[in-house]
Amino acid sequence: MNLRIAPRSVQQETVDKLRQAIFSGLFQPGSRLVESQLCAQLGVSRPSLREALRSLHAERLIEMVPNRGPSVPALSWEEATAIYEVRELLEVEAAGRCASAISKERLVDLKNSLTAFEEATSSKDNLAQVMTAAEFYSIILVNCGNPILEEVHRGLLARISFFRGRSMSLEGRAQSSLAEMKDIYEAIAEGNVKEARKAAQRHLVKAKAAAQLSMTGKD
């Protein structure tokens, strides 16, 4: 993975590259982030890097350890469980609301995001799977008719994507996710509120089980 960035937007590009490196597993949970090495890899100054690290710390994707510096936190299954519980509350509700509120134009966007996820699955690109799945849900949340649901979900997005990456790392999980997301899309496209909620809940139950197996080795 080439981490070097273009100078067009140093600050945002630095944040994006580091975030993607964490999601893709390039920086493993528990690993220390050495500033001098990151500056060389990214081609940025130390002040730019430190500002990016502060942004990632705010997203809780890294932690600042006294006398040790920044590192990728070894997130626990207990924290993952809490995240999945909140995801269920937000995403099941959003899917149901979206089924009755989404416009035809935005439904096309949702379909396109599903196609992008399917392509990422076919190419076995883990990072693309994580990012396109995030886009799929982002469209659902934005079009659910409740901006507070979308706002709360956005605040959890970085950690959701982290756990999604662990889940998608399991053999066959991306293909299963694709089938589950197709069910969600079809229910929303049909305007079937009840089935959209059911499909979203089924998907989250299976996603949580996959993440648990990936992180703990237990079903």
Side-chain angles (χ1 to χ4, degrees), residues 17-218:
K17 287 287 187 178
L18 289 172
R19 187 189 291 116
Q20 290 171 15
I22 294 170
F23 290 167
S24 68
L26 181 64
F27 300 143
Q28 290 291 316
S31 62
R32 184 185 173 204
L33 301 176
V34 181
E35 289 188 5
S36 59
Q37 293 178 2
L38 289 177
C39 287
Q41 287 177 290
L42 292 160
V44 298
S45 66
R46 188 157 294 200
S48 293
L49 175 66
R50 287 179 174 172
E51 187 62 33
L53 291 174
R54 280 193 285 271
S55 295
L56 294 173
H57 181 250
E59 295 179 16
R60 298 184 65 180
L61 282 179
I62 67 168
E63 58 185 1
M64 300 295 189
V65 182
N67 303 317
R68 188 169 181 264
S71 64
V72 180
L75 297 172
S76 67
W77 175 242
E78 287 72 21
E79 183 171 1
T81 297
I83 292 290
Y84 277 102
E85 287 175 353
V86 175
R87 277 189 68 186
E88 184 172 351
L89 291 172
L90 298 176
E91 292 177 13
V92 171
E93 179 68 15
R97 287 172 173 265
C98 185
S100 64
I102 194 168
S103 68
K104 291 182 179 179
E105 292 78 14
R106 293 301 283 162
L107 187 61
V108 172
D109 293 338
L110 187 62
K111 175 64 173 178
N112 289 340
S113 70
L114 183 60
T115 299
F117 179 76
E118 186 169 13
E119 291 171 352
T121 299
S122 297
S123 63
K124 297 184 178 181
D125 185 333
N126 184 261
L127 178 58
Q129 290 165 6
V130 171
M131 303 309 288
T132 53
E135 176 64 15
F136 178 82
Y137 281 101
S138 175
I139 293 171
I140 291 174
L141 267 293
V142 167
N143 291 278
C144 74
N146 186 325
I148 302 302
L149 275 177
E150 190 270 334
E151 180 182 333
V152 174
H153 190 272
R154 190 175 351 110
L156 295 170
L157 183 58
R159 281 171 286 169
I160 288 172
S161 294
F162 180 90
F163 292 122
R164 182 176 283 132
R166 304 285 79 75
S167 173
M168 293 287 186
S169 68
L170 286 181
E171 184 67 30
R173 177 56 202 158
Q175 289 83 356
S176 297
S177 289
L178 176 60
E180 294 154 17
M181 289 162 65
K182 283 182 176 178
D183 288 344
I184 296 170
Y185 168 78
E186 288 170 4
I188 290 174
E190 293 168 2
N192 190 329
V193 173
K194 185 176 180 180
E195 186 52 41
R197 291 174 182 272
K198 287 182 177 180
Q201 188 165 39
R202 286 196 301 269
H203 174 59
L204 282 166
V205 167
K206 292 179 180 179
K208 181 180 178 182
Q212 182 177 19
L213 181 60
S214 174
M215 293 179 69
T216 69
K218 300 176 182 178

